[in-house]
Amino acid sequence: MGALRGIAPALVAELPRWPALATLTGVVGHRASLDFLWDEVLQGLPADRRRLLAAAALFGQIDDELVAALGASAAAAELVDGVPLVEANGDGSFHLHDLWAEALQTVLEPGERTEALRAGGSMLLERGELVRAAEAYGLAGDDDGMARVILAFARQPTGNADINEINRLHALLPEALQRRPGARYLQAARYYATDDRQAARLFEQAAAEA
């Protein structure tokens, strides 16, 4: 495969390392690098594992609970065993390089992709990872799921809210939810630490709209 594409054997041998992939991409281009990953790695995987990897790649970072939520009995370590461009985080979770999501994007049918995002989003929401849950629901186009995330946020003590989390959740709101009470609550929470009057006004407005 490497010889056919004119890729130096040294680059082929080093493919599992992230810097080597960057070099490979620089030599043969992004599209050729994706083709190489498919031909040399993905095509050799069993179909069910390839589909599970495609679902997992939607989330970037995975662990045993997320893999289970996607309907598999295998551990995360088993799923990524021998797969390049995966970084172990030391806590049983793994980070999949963004290239995997792109290389695997045609493996799942649109309905399967949506279902995977919803299943993973539900698990992340239950675990309290609100931003990651919102990202999954956003990719799935699931406004109801996103509304549940905002409700979960609203149930937290306002004083414990993180401004970065608030800003990210607000940025992820779909248009259908931007004029709903939940969006107003996020705006109020933004002001909570800096402008008590503005926060109170927005909290009252959110309550009235609800």
Side-chain angles (χ1 to χ4, degrees):
M1 172 67 185
L4 289 175
R5 295 192 183 277
I7 302 170
L11 290 181
V12 177
E14 292 182 352
L15 180 60
R17 297 207 297 274
W18 290 27
L21 184 70
T23 303
L24 179 66
T25 301
V27 172
V28 301
H30 184 70
R31 180 67 258 169
S33 296
L34 292 178
D35 291 344
F36 185 90
L37 286 176
W38 182 267
D39 293 344
E40 292 297 311
V41 180
L42 298 174
Q43 195 141 311
L45 297 178
D48 56 346
R49 185 181 176 192
R50 191 161 59 236
R51 296 172 80 82
L52 179 58
L53 190 63
L58 296 170
F59 297 88
Q61 184 159 306
I62 63 167
D63 54 35
D64 290 349
E65 287 187 334
L66 181 55
V67 172
L70 295 175
S73 58
E78 294 176 71
L79 174 61
V80 301
D81 183 37
V83 175
L85 306 177
V86 175
E87 183 178 25
N89 295 320
D91 59 359
S93 67
F94 299 85
H95 181 82
L96 282 70
H97 193 281
D98 291 345
L99 275 174
W100 282 125
E102 187 171 354
L104 290 158
Q105 64 181 332
T106 60
V107 170
L108 300 176
E109 296 292 335
E112 294 174 314
R113 180 179 182 275
T114 298
E115 186 57 36
L117 287 165
R118 283 175 172 163
S122 294
M123 188 281 296
L124 292 167
L125 175 57
E126 185 175 339
R127 200 160 71 180
E129 295 189 42
L130 302 188
V131 171
R132 292 188 69 202
E135 289 171 344
Y137 285 131
L139 288 172
D142 188 340
D143 290 357
D144 289 340
M146 187 73 76
R148 290 197 296 274
V149 172
I150 303 307
L151 181 60
F153 174 83
R155 286 173 173 164
Q156 297 180 149
T158 305
N160 295 342
D162 178 86
I163 189 63
N164 292 324
E165 180 181 56
I166 295 169
N167 288 338
R168 183 62 180 145
L169 289 174
H170 194 273
L172 288 166
L173 284 179
E175 186 175 351
L177 297 181
Q178 288 176 7
R179 289 178 290 277
R180 297 275 293 277
R184 204 78 61 221
Y185 185 90
L186 286 176
Q187 291 172 341
R190 264 179 174 171
Y191 283 106
Y192 184 77
T194 59
D195 189 334
D196 288 346
R197 288 187 176 182
Q198 180 73 336
R201 184 182 70 79
L202 289 168
F203 278 133
E204 289 176 3
Q205 187 175 348
E209 291 174 355

